[in-house]
Amino acid sequence: MKTALRVTRDRLSAEVVSRLLAPADYPATYAAEADEWISRLFAEATEGKTAGFALVGVGGYGRSELCPGSDLDVMLVHQRRRNVKQVADKLWYSVWDGGIKLDHSVRTPKEAISVAREDQRALLGLLDGRVIAGDADLAAGVLNEVANWWRVHNRELLPQLSAAGRERHERFGEVPFLLEPDLKESAGGLRDLEALELAARAAPALAPVLLPPELKGHRRLLLSARVTLHAVTGGSSDRLALQEQDEVAPLLGFADADALMAGISAAGREVMWASADGWRRLDSYLAGPSGRAGGRDIALVNGVVLRDGTVALATDADATELG
């Protein structure tokens, strides 16, 4: 049983390469298999006594977006159980013995919330968290508290997320202008889409303009390309290297590497545009009427205003812009 998930992962990857499984279907399929496997290990580790314990998937695993090279990113939440070390050790070693990469932590609810408030990476991971096994109420208390913190403190936290994005772009470049883009970290990649989704949850009034429907297709292509790259190489690198492009292209329905990269570049440009536009709108939202460079709103007609040179709806607080 300990090696079952690795065998399943490799089988699913082979199905992508042989065109039996669509790359877009891989992440959720693999995540569901991982849920079942690690839930059995969790039951063994706790000897079926799961009260006061919860296993939470965070980050990409929490979103059910596991690629072949992804780690299992999990948190063991416990209500000050005395045997927590024994349970954790048995669980983690079972995962490692199964040949699966693991990013793990052990926290009480208070510790989990405290760390999330101090560490941006932990916060962002938990914002995508979901209960895998164990005490669902225990885990829900943590996840709800973190989500509420994200909304309430958005004026402080969203600029931090934006700054992290700018630093990442400087390091990894821009998808449309790279011969070998990083599908996850480069500007216009999957990380930018994740940031927009988190921003929309912090500022729900702006969700319709931060997440236009057309982004779904671009996300599907970028995620499918990442899955296929991992399946072809057997590794975890997200850099779509030149030597891999000819093999990846037909598996994604492209005639050749040139057509693949044209598609990836087009998706990257659209994501970059949406990200730049979204963060401009968020900056205006966070500044409020008195803090905007363009000054206060200029009333036009029927509740429509001119805000920073942009037509917007005038609401009681901050407006949902029309573009």
Side-chain angles (χ1 to χ4, degrees):
M1 185 183 73
K2 291 180 180 179
T3 61
L5 185 61
R6 185 173 62 186
V7 172
T8 298
R9 179 197 64 194
D10 294 345
R11 174 179 57 79
L12 293 174
S13 295
E15 288 180 2
V16 168
V17 174
S18 61
R19 308 190 191 194
L20 295 175
L21 177 67
D25 294 335
Y26 184 104
T29 302
Y30 181 31
E33 295 283 354
D35 288 355
E36 182 178 348
W37 180 74
I38 202 169
S39 292
R40 294 200 302 269
L41 296 181
F42 175 76
E44 285 189 356
T46 59
E47 298 180 346
K49 301 173 183 177
T50 60
F53 285 111
L55 191 64
V56 177
V58 301
Y61 185 27
R63 295 190 303 273
S64 293
E65 284 189 352
L66 287 181
C67 295
S70 297
D71 296 355
L72 287 189
D73 197 348
V74 296
M75 175 182 289
L76 180 63
V77 183
H78 67 100
Q79 197 65 275
R80 296 197 173 277
R81 294 291 300 268
R82 286 183 295 177
N83 63 333
V84 63
K85 185 179 187 304
Q86 294 93 324
V87 169
D89 286 349
K90 187 171 183 180
L91 178 58
W92 306 150
Y93 279 102
S94 294
V95 175
W96 289 324
D97 287 348
I100 298 297
K101 292 184 293 183
L102 179 69
D103 190 349
H104 63 88
S105 59
V106 181
R107 307 270 191 252
T108 65
K110 184 177 180 179
E111 289 169 344
I113 293 166
S114 177
V115 169
R117 291 177 177 179
E118 299 296 328
D119 185 314
Q120 185 187 78
R121 182 176 179 273
L123 171 63
L124 299 182
L126 275 174
L127 286 171
D128 284 324
R130 64 184 175 90
V131 185
I132 304 299
D135 190 334
D137 290 339
L138 176 64
V142 173
L143 298 178
N144 290 339
E145 180 66 24
V146 169
N148 185 61
W149 173 266
W150 180 243
R151 288 190 298 270
V152 170
H153 295 274
N154 61 11
R155 295 181 185 276
E156 171 191 353
L157 298 171
L158 284 173
Q160 295 175 14
L161 182 61
S162 177
R166 290 193 297 272
E167 293 176 4
R168 175 169 45 80
H169 297 165
E170 290 178 3
R171 180 179 176 187
F172 290 96
E174 300 174 338
V175 168
F177 308 110
L178 293 170
L179 292 176
E180 299 181 329
D182 189 299
L183 297 167
K184 185 176 181 181
E185 305 289 356
S186 294
L190 289 164
R191 192 74 82 185
D192 280 356
L193 290 168
E194 293 166 13
L196 283 177
E197 290 166 359
L198 291 172
R201 288 158 59 182
L206 293 181
V209 292
L210 294 176
L211 299 172
E214 56 269 23
L215 286 184
K216 292 182 180 179
H218 303 316
R219 184 187 187 94
R220 180 184 177 90
L221 173 58
L222 292 168
L223 185 57
S224 294
R226 185 177 182 227
V227 166
T228 307
L229 176 63
H230 288 185
V232 164
T233 62
S236 59
S237 174
D238 297 319
R239 185 171 64 89
L240 186 52
L242 289 170
Q243 64 266 27
E244 318 298 350
Q245 292 170 13
D246 282 322
E247 190 171 358
V248 169
L251 298 176
L252 293 175
F254 291 94
D256 53 30
D258 289 341
L260 166 67
M261 297 313 296
I264 295 290
S265 294
R269 279 193 298 272
E270 292 297 319
V271 172
M272 284 181 62
W273 183 89
S275 182
D277 183 65
W279 284 105
R280 178 185 63 78
R281 293 172 187 269
L282 282 163
D283 287 343
S284 177
Y285 169 88
L286 295 173
S290 62
R292 295 183 182 116
R296 292 189 173 275
D297 298 344
I298 300 173
L300 298 177
V301 293
N302 298 328
V304 178
V305 299
L306 186 66
R307 173 174 302 160
D308 284 346
T310 300
V311 176
L313 295 176
T315 60
D316 293 338
D318 295 291
T320 299
E321 300 180 26
L322 297 177

